[in-house]
Amino acid sequence: MDRGDLFVISAPSGAGKSTLCNRLMERLPGLVFSVSHTTRPPRKGEVDGKDYFFVSEKEFERLVTKGKFLEWARVHGHFYGTSRDHVMEFLSRGMDVILDIDVQGATQVREKFPGAVTIFILPPSWTVLEERLLRRGSEDMDSVRVRLRNALKEMEEVANYTYTIVNDKLNEATDNLVAIVVAVRCRTARVLASKIDMTALHPGPDSWFLK
Ligand code: 5GP
């Protein structure tokens, strides 16, 4: 069975990562988004099991103790973790898996999966980041302040990522993200490991070339 690739996407809050991930999923088949567990309360409109698995701190701790997470971290005062079983199952089914996780989680994934493809999304400027976070209105002002403070630290990590996308123009940023995934899918090792029929690339008995 073919094995899929693991894509890690990180960005400071407000860089437009969720929008880009959604557009990527609409554009390319064969991708699956890994739904994380979190102790953060749901935002308006968020659906349990779709956006996140919303769990209590006690339940989260229990899952950590049982080794259920591929990686986990405390981000903006809440816990977030990636289910090991979900990711491994999708990869073994040949799906490409998208992890939308923070920089601490990305470090843990890099150690466990050196072949993971890591992508960092940058906003075009600090002003734009601030505007986007304030306009979004999904957090209270204290939360926005925490997220902005963390953004500064997170952006220091950009050099550790394989690819960087500056999300200035949404269409262009989407095209770049799609291009990265397509390029990974075209890697020689992956194409040769897939069920490509090499015999179809040799002249057969009816070939004009052999006559
Ligand atoms: P939000 O609360 O805005 O949905 O997410 C806050 C941050 O947590 C984002 O940077 C997001 O990428 C990160 N995050 C979401 N799920 C996970 C996860 O499973 N593990 C880690 N390490 N970070 C996560």
Side-chain angles (χ1 to χ4, degrees):
M1 175 79 78
D2 305 340
R3 200 173 175 285
D5 275 289
L6 193 54
F7 293 85
V8 172
I9 307 188
S10 303
S13 213
K17 184 177 44 172
S18 306
T19 309
L20 281 171
C21 286
N22 289 337
R23 287 177 138 226
L24 172 68
M25 309 276 295
E26 280 164 19
R27 288 266 294 269
L28 290 180
L31 281 167
V32 64
F33 181 80
S34 161
V35 179
S36 296
H37 286 70
T38 185
T39 60
R40 166 171 79 60
R43 294 188 188 122
K44 206 163 160 254
E46 281 186 330
V47 178
D48 188 42
K50 179 171 170 279
D51 298 286
Y52 282 106
F53 295 105
F54 295 99
V55 294
S56 64
E57 291 212 0
K58 200 160 167 240
E59 173 64 0
F60 194 93
E61 267 170 36
R62 194 184 68 81
L63 294 169
V64 170
T65 315
K66 289 186 85 181
K68 291 288 181 191
F69 292 130
L70 187 69
E71 63 72 39
W72 65 273
R74 187 163 198 251
V75 191
H76 313 317
H78 301 287
F79 292 102
Y80 295 82
T82 301
S83 159
R84 183 189 303 278
D85 290 352
H86 286 176
V87 170
M88 298 317 289
E89 196 199 321
F90 287 129
L91 288 177
S92 69
R93 276 164 42 189
M95 310 278 293
D96 290 320
V97 180
I98 304 284
L99 302 185
D100 165 347
I101 61 176
D102 87 314
V103 295
Q104 307 168 76
T107 305
Q108 297 170 49
V109 172
R110 253 186 232 108
E111 279 162 14
K112 290 175 190 155
F113 289 85
V117 179
T118 57
I119 305 165
F120 200 92
I121 316 279
L122 280 175
S125 69
W126 181 262
T127 314
V128 169
L129 186 71
E130 253 183 31
E131 274 170 12
R132 284 186 188 159
L133 261 182
L134 290 169
R135 191 159 23 103
R136 192 161 87 177
S138 52
E139 266 86 24
D140 57 40
M141 285 305 128
D142 284 346
S143 266
V144 171
R145 215 172 281 281
V146 169
R147 280 167 186 258
L148 283 172
R149 193 175 312 118
N150 291 344
L152 276 177
K153 277 180 66 189
E154 284 164 346
M155 287 193 285
E156 284 172 9
E157 287 286 318
V158 62
N160 295 323
Y161 284 71
T162 328
Y163 296 100
T164 301
I165 294 174
V166 179
N167 185 15
D168 186 3
K169 299 194 176 73
L170 187 57
N171 284 341
E172 207 176 299
T174 308
D175 288 345
N176 288 347
L177 187 53
V178 170
I180 291 167
V181 176
V182 171
V184 169
R185 288 180 169 180
C186 290
R187 280 200 315 233
T188 304
R190 174 157 164 168
V191 173
L192 293 184
S194 70
K195 287 182 225 73
I196 182 169
D197 178 10
M198 290 304 280
T199 58
L201 297 173
H202 283 271
D206 300 330
S207 154
W208 168 86
F209 172 72
L210 294 180
K211 283 179 187 149

